[in-house]
Amino acid sequence: MTVWDDLVGQDRVREQLAAAAKDADALVTAVSDGKPLEQGSKMTHAWLFTGPPGSGRSTAARAFAAALQCTSPDRALGGEPGCGFCDGCHTSLIGTHADVQVIRTDLLSIGVKETRDLVRRAQLSPAVGRWQVIVMEDADRLTEGAGNVLLKAVEEPAPRTVWMLCAPSLEDVLPTIRSRCRHLTLGTPPVEAVADVLIRRDGVDPERAHSAARATQGHIGRARRLATDERARARRAAVLKVPLRIADVGGCLKAAQELIDTATDDAKQMAEEVDVKETEDLKAALGGVAGGRMPRGTAGAMKELEDKQKRRKTRTQRDSLDLALTELTGFYRDVLALQLGSRIAIANVDVQDSLDRVAESSTPAQTLRRIEAVIACRRAMDRNVAPLLAVEAMTMSLRAG
C-alpha cells in the first residue's frame, strides 16, 4: 500500500505529485553528494491544492509530504518515493513526523500570531527528515494580516522547506500567494471510487457504502461519516423531510428551529468531548489542583482558552448548518432532474417518494428559486446574519417557491 492509495479518483494529480517527489529525492541526493542540480525539476517550494469539499485536498498534501520524507531503499533502485511502509512515510501519514507540520483550525480563522509561529518554524532545517514540510489544510481561513505574514515566507523560502496550502478555490487565497505556488486542481471523485474506499479501508457493507457515496455525491469525508455514524444518518433523514414540512408558516418556523437545534446539539457534543479535557490539561499545566483555586496570574490563559472554545463552538454550529443546507440543495437538485427528465443519477434515492411528491407539485422554475433560497441562506450566514433568522427566511422562501 503506497501513500497514494487514499487519493481517490485523482490519477492526474497523483502522477504530478509522484514525479515531483522523485525529482525532490534526486535533488536532496545530489546536494548531499555535492553534484550539480539538473534543470527542469518538477519540484518546487510552494504548492496550492484546490478542489471542491471532499475531493481530497488535504489527503493529497499529506501523501505528498510522506513521499518527500520517504526513506525506502527501493528509491536507490529507481523506485518511486512514497512506499507507505518506511518510517518516513508511516510517521508522516499518522502525524508524528518531526519535520511534517499539519495545520488545521476548528476556529473561524487563522490569525497573525499562529502564522508567525509557522513562518519561524519554516526557517529551520529538517531535524530528521529530508524536507521541512508545512501543510496548511485551511489556507482559505487565513485573515488578510496572516496572509501577508505568510507571503514573505513563500517568497523567500528556506532551501529545504516546502509549503502545501489547501483551499476550495484559487479565489480563496490572496493573489500574491497563489501566484507564487504551483497549482493543482482536484475534482470530485467518482461515486464508485468512493464506495470502493469505504469497503476496502473502512470495512463498510457494500450496499451501505454505495448508498453513502451516492448520497454525498463523492464527498469522501461525508460519505465515511454517513456510512459509519448512525447519528449522521438520522440527522440527514430529518433534513430531507424539511421540504414536506413547510406547508404553512408554523411548519416553516418549526423546521427552521429544529435545524438550528440540531446544529447546536452537534456543537455541544463536540464541546463535551474536547473542552473538558482541554480545560483540565491546561489547569494541570498551570499548576492547578483538582477542586481548588487556580494560582495567581493564570486567569488570562484560562480566559484565552474559553474564548477559543467559544469560537470553535460557533464554527461547529455553522459547519453543521452548512452541511444541512448542502443536503437540501442536493434534494432540490434531484427534484429538478426529475422535472426536466434528466438522465443524471439521482443522489437521494432513499427518499424517492418525497422527491416525486415535490416534483409533481411544483414547477422547475419554483425548484430553481428554492435552490437560490438555500444559497442565499448560506451567504447570509457568511455575513454573520443570526443563524435562526437566516434559516427562517429560507424556509419561508422554500414554502413560497
Side-chain angles (χ1 to χ4, degrees), residues 65 97-103 118 121 132-136 164:
H97 196 291
D99 295 315
V100 177
Q101 179 82 2
V102 179
I103 308 302
L118 285 178
R121 179 188 174 104
Q132 178 79 252
V133 182
I134 300 178
V135 179
M136 185 172 287
M164 301 183 191

Side-chain angles (χ1 to χ4, degrees), residues 242 246 328 332 370-371 373-374 393-401:
V242 168
I246 52 176
L328 271 180
Y332 285 115
R370 285 167 173 158
I371 292 174
V374 179
M394 177 194 72
T395 53
M396 295 295 287
S397 297
L398 294 179
R399 175 176 176 268

Side-chain angles (χ1 to χ4, degrees), residues 7-334:
L7 193 54
V8 182
Q10 311 291 348
D11 293 342
R12 181 181 58 82
V13 170
R14 173 176 174 167
E15 291 173 3
Q16 290 178 286
L17 293 177
K22 195 167 186 177
D23 282 0
D25 183 64
L27 188 152
V28 173
T29 302
V31 171
S32 301
D33 296 343
K35 297 178 180 179
L37 301 180
E38 296 182 6
Q39 298 298 314
S41 173
K42 298 179 177 63
M43 182 57 187
T44 188
H45 69 279
W47 298 77
L48 175 58
F49 299 82
T50 64
S55 58
R57 300 184 302 260
S58 59
T59 300
R62 286 168 175 264
F64 187 32
L68 292 180
Q69 305 291 11
C70 183
T71 57
S72 169
D74 291 342
R75 294 175 297 108
L77 303 176
E80 291 188 352
C83 66
F85 295 101
C86 70
D87 185 65
C89 288
H90 179 68
T91 54
S92 297
L93 292 175
I94 66 174
T96 59
H97 196 291
D99 295 315
V100 177
Q101 179 82 2
V102 179
I103 308 302
R104 70 179 71 84
T105 181
D106 46 17
L107 305 179
L108 297 176
S109 62
I110 299 175
V112 171
K113 181 178 181 297
E114 302 97 302
T115 308
R116 282 180 177 154
D117 291 339
L118 285 178
V119 170
R120 280 193 289 269
R121 179 188 174 104
Q123 301 305 312
L124 302 175
S125 297
V128 296
R130 300 168 70 79
W131 296 88
Q132 178 79 252
V133 182
I134 300 178
V135 179
M136 185 172 287
E137 294 187 354
D138 300 299
D140 54 309
R141 295 186 182 271
L142 285 165
T143 63
E144 184 176 354
N148 291 329
V149 170
L150 178 62
L151 175 61
K152 187 68 174 176
V154 173
E155 278 183 326
E156 301 175 4
R160 298 270 287 275
T161 294
V162 182
W163 289 89
M164 301 183 191
L165 312 181
C166 305
S169 69
L170 285 173
E171 289 70 27
D172 292 311
V173 181
L174 287 176
T176 48
I177 291 180
R178 66 183 186 234
S179 66
R180 290 162 174 81
C181 298
R182 182 167 295 177
H183 180 214
L184 291 178
T185 303
L186 287 75
T188 300
V191 169
E192 287 299 322
V194 174
D196 179 65
V197 168
L198 295 179
I199 296 168
R200 171 172 51 84
R201 189 176 61 185
D202 300 295
V204 177
D205 175 74
E207 183 177 350
R208 176 170 289 179
H210 282 88
S211 176
R214 185 171 53 246
T216 57
Q217 288 295 282
H219 190 299
I220 301 172
R222 285 172 49 205
R224 180 174 294 110
R225 184 180 177 191
L226 193 61
T228 58
D229 187 347
E230 183 61 39
R231 287 187 72 254
R233 292 193 289 272
R235 184 196 50 73
R236 173 176 172 271
V239 169
L240 295 183
K241 290 179 181 177
V242 168
L244 300 179
R245 299 176 54 203
I246 52 176
D248 52 41
V249 173
C252 292
L253 299 180
K254 185 176 180 180
Q257 185 63 61
E258 289 180 357
L259 286 176
I260 296 296
D261 290 344
T262 300
T264 303
D265 288 343
D266 280 349
K268 183 178 179 181
Q269 182 186 30
M270 172 176 256
E272 290 175 349
E273 294 173 353
V274 179
D275 289 3
V276 173
K277 185 178 186 304
E278 276 187 348
T279 302
E280 292 302 321
D281 288 348
L282 181 59
K283 285 182 177 179
L286 295 175
V289 179
R293 297 181 62 181
M294 292 295 296
R296 289 185 178 182
T298 60
M302 295 302 298
K303 180 66 166 57
E304 184 178 350
L305 177 62
E306 290 172 5
D307 291 341
K308 174 185 174 182
Q309 292 172 345
K310 184 177 180 181
R311 293 195 301 271
R312 181 169 59 204
K313 185 176 180 181
T314 299
R315 177 181 170 181
T316 303
Q317 183 182 28
R318 289 188 181 182
D319 286 350
S320 180
L321 269 177
D322 191 66
L323 176 56
L325 298 179
T326 299
E327 289 167 341
L328 271 180
T329 304
F331 180 94
Y332 285 115
R333 170 259 193 198
D334 287 347

